[in-house]
Amino acid sequence: MIFSGALPPGSHRSRLAPGGIPRYSFPSSPVRGMLHVEMGAVTVRVLPRSGRTSVQAGARGIEVRVRAAPEGGRATEEARRALAEALGVPASRVRLRTGARSRTKVFEVEGLDGAEAEMRLRAT
């Protein structure tokens, strides 16, 4: 062998643990040690053009009433901020996952799992 028993330069095999399990990870790989932040999903129904802004958890799920009209994402943004306030987390930790143009939206809450978020909303 040209490389005198060592692996060729640039080979990744030297970084593999016995059994082919990598000892390293890339940002795109879902390795347990890399998941630093817990994210919970909360599904809500947004009711725009309401008289006041409020978050209510009832038998039909979580309803977020906002004063803004559903134009240009204003109602979604107001719903995101109202949901963050009701959960007791900074607004920067709540992100829209799906439903940008729908009344039914799914928000991700950083630092809370879905059950914890539901419990906090039902307690208010």
Side-chain angles (χ1 to χ4, degrees), residues 27-78:
S28 61
S29 62
V31 177
R32 183 175 179 87
M34 290 184 58
L35 300 177
H36 302 293
V37 179
E38 193 172 348
M39 298 286 277
V42 179
T43 303
V44 300
R45 175 122 174 115
V46 176
L47 302 170
R49 293 188 179 122
S50 295
R52 62 185 175 90
T53 301
S54 67
V55 179
Q56 300 171 340
R60 296 183 312 197
I62 300 166
E63 292 182 346
V64 180
R65 297 178 185 274
V66 295
R67 296 182 66 146
E71 298 169 352
R74 291 191 325 224
T76 300
E77 178 61 20
E78 191 173 334

Side-chain angles (χ1 to χ4, degrees), residues 23 26 69 73 77 90 98 104 108:
R23 292 181 297 176
F26 294 106
E77 178 61 20
T98 61
T104 303
E108 289 181 338

Side-chain angles (χ1 to χ4, degrees), residues 35-42 80 83-84 87-97 106-114 116-117 120:
L35 300 177
H36 302 293
V37 179
E38 193 172 348
M39 298 286 277
V42 179
R80 182 183 72 84
L83 184 62
L87 290 170
V89 298
S92 62
R93 292 174 63 190
V94 178
R95 287 191 298 266
L96 180 68
R97 182 193 291 176
V106 178
F107 288 96
E108 289 181 338
V109 183
E110 186 179 320
L112 295 177
D113 63 352
E116 171 81 17
R120 285 189 185 189

Side-chain angles (χ1 to χ4, degrees), residues 13 70 96 103 114:
R13 292 194 182 272
L96 180 68
R103 289 189 183 209

